[in-house]
Amino acid sequence: LGIDAEEHPYRGSAFEPHVKLHLDAEDFRLWMHFLFTAIDDSFAGPVASDWKKRAEQMGMLFRHKLGLPLD
């Protein structure tokens, strides 16, 4: 599955746009809940587990960079 640059023009750090949103720990809790629910509703097995693990790692990194509690 190829990604067309015109269809997906995003470039750069995934973190930078989030800084401007003034997120808090509850925002990340909700993000994890909805993301995990979507993954669990549509996928199973090691790939789904890997996606959830990566999401947890990204969430922890973002919270750390934003100075939010890591739960």
Side-chain angles (χ1 to χ4, degrees), residues 21-39:
L21 298 176
H22 306 289
L23 301 170
D24 61 23
E26 179 64 8
D27 294 320
F28 281 96
R29 188 193 68 74
L30 286 170
W31 174 70
M32 295 295 288
H33 168 75
F34 290 124
L35 179 62
F36 279 29
T37 298
I39 291 170

Side-chain angles (χ1 to χ4, degrees), residues 13-70:
S13 168
F15 178 72
E16 293 305 320
H18 291 83
V19 173
K20 300 171 188 171
L21 298 176
H22 306 289
L23 301 170
D24 61 23
E26 179 64 8
D27 294 320
F28 281 96
R29 188 193 68 74
L30 286 170
W31 174 70
M32 295 295 288
H33 168 75
F34 290 124
L35 179 62
F36 279 29
T37 298
I39 291 170
D40 291 340
D41 285 350
S42 301
F43 305 98
V47 173
S49 296
D50 187 49
W51 289 349
K52 291 192 285 188
K53 181 179 177 183
R54 290 173 186 247
E56 285 177 330
Q57 292 171 340
M58 181 176 286
M60 286 178 57
L61 177 63
F62 277 29
R63 286 181 299 182
H64 173 74
K65 285 183 164 187
L66 293 169
L68 299 172
L70 299 178

